[in-house]
Amino acid sequence: MPRSGRPVRVPKTAELVAAQLRRRIIKGELSEGEALPPEAVLMEQFGVSRPTLREAFRVLEAEALITVRRGVHGGARVHAPDGDVAARYAGLVLEHRGTTLEDVYRASAMIEPPCAALLARTRTKSDLKRLREVLARADDLDADPFVLLEAQQAFHHAMVELARNQTMTVITGMLRHIIDLANEDFVTSASPKLPQRRAAAKSQQTHAQLIDLIEAGDAEGAADLWRRHLEAQGDHFRGGPGAKTVLDLLG
């Protein structure tokens, strides 16, 4: 026993096999959609039995790193790590804690503005071009509400992605996954459509202002505008029918 008095847990063989395959996927040695070698080959390679190998597969399936199909034409295929998987798991944790959508929006309003500030300090011409292209997708305010919403959501994701901080991108992506679902739920239930168009027009104007601030290198102004924008968006979820929990949204 170590000095702490805690017993040392020895990993199961299946966990060790899963760890080696996981490492190869993460390092890119196994690519998206690539088939793993046949079971017989992997059993010989790792020196394990078929039940042990299949247990390792179940571990990787639970992590959404592979998909296994049974049968003559079956086998295991690789999936690159996906932020949506982290978002779904984070959603489960938030559901368990009874987290409200207001809470999620408040967190987003604290996390995303620094990304806007970082982008204002590091922006390139190609960054500005990308933002304007994404902005233009939502110019048609008479478009289908879901098409318009998707275009405006894409602007949020692009802004964070262009800040080029991978940790912030993943964390923000987890929150945006829930926020995007909340916005889709709002569009589905909202009536009449005129207030939706007004809200979309206001968001579009704010997005355009953000691009101007980023282009000017005004980090403080960009962060402040984005914080106020997100706080205003979250107002709908602070009371009344919009005040749902993550569990209400995700089921």
Side-chain angles (χ1 to χ4, degrees):
M1 278 191 180
R3 292 180 183 177
S4 65
R6 297 178 181 175
V8 175
R9 178 182 176 276
V10 179
K12 296 169 64 175
T13 303
E15 293 173 339
L16 296 174
V17 173
Q20 291 193 46
L21 290 172
R22 183 188 302 114
R23 183 173 179 82
R24 291 174 63 187
I25 293 170
I26 292 172
K27 291 178 66 177
E29 295 173 5
L30 295 169
S31 305
E32 173 71 34
E34 182 179 346
L36 289 180
E39 287 187 352
V41 174
L42 291 174
M43 287 162 54
E44 182 178 356
Q45 179 181 336
F46 292 112
V48 297
S49 65
R50 179 170 277 106
T52 296
L53 180 64
R54 290 187 173 178
E55 185 178 350
F57 280 2
R58 285 193 289 272
V59 171
L60 297 174
E61 271 194 297
E63 297 172 351
L65 291 176
I66 65 170
T67 299
V68 179
R69 293 182 60 184
R70 307 299 179 191
V72 178
H73 301 291
R77 290 198 173 273
V78 172
H79 300 296
D82 189 339
D84 284 345
V85 176
R88 285 193 294 272
Y89 186 80
L92 292 175
V93 175
L94 294 174
E95 286 179 29
H96 179 68
R97 297 187 178 190
T99 307
T100 64
L101 294 180
E102 175 191 358
D103 190 272
V104 174
Y105 265 93
R106 187 178 297 157
S108 182
M110 290 187 286
I111 294 173
E112 284 193 39
C115 294
L118 178 59
L119 182 54
R121 297 188 188 101
T122 61
R123 81 283 184 217
T124 64
K125 290 183 178 179
S126 62
D127 292 338
L128 295 169
K129 180 182 178 182
R130 167 89 182 278
L131 286 175
R132 290 194 175 99
E133 287 174 349
V134 177
L135 178 71
R137 296 181 198 168
D139 278 343
D140 184 6
L141 297 177
D142 292 323
D144 178 274
F146 287 100
V147 173
L148 186 58
L149 176 62
E150 183 179 353
Q152 294 198 329
Q153 288 171 342
F155 185 89
H156 284 255
H157 289 280
M159 189 277 293
V160 173
E161 180 186 332
L162 290 172
R164 296 182 179 85
N165 183 290
Q166 296 304 317
T167 304
M168 292 293 282
T169 299
V170 171
I171 293 173
T172 303
M174 290 190 293
L175 296 178
R176 291 303 316 178
H177 176 76
I178 296 170
I179 288 173
D180 289 350
L181 289 175
N183 288 335
E184 290 168 12
D185 181 69
F186 173 65
V187 168
T188 300
S189 60
S191 180
K193 302 302 180 186
L194 183 58
Q196 290 184 22
R197 291 199 180 101
R198 287 175 179 167
K202 186 174 181 180
S203 290
Q204 194 74 346
Q205 182 181 17
T206 300
H207 293 178
Q209 290 173 347
L210 181 69
I211 294 176
D212 290 340
L213 291 168
I214 290 173
E215 183 174 26
D218 186 351
E220 184 176 344
D224 181 63
L225 175 69
W226 207 239
R227 176 185 54 76
R228 288 186 284 109
H229 175 55
L230 292 172
E231 287 177 348
Q233 284 191 325
D235 284 343
H236 172 73
F237 301 99
R238 293 196 173 99
K244 299 181 179 180
T245 65
V246 175
L247 180 59
D248 293 330
L249 181 66
L250 300 180

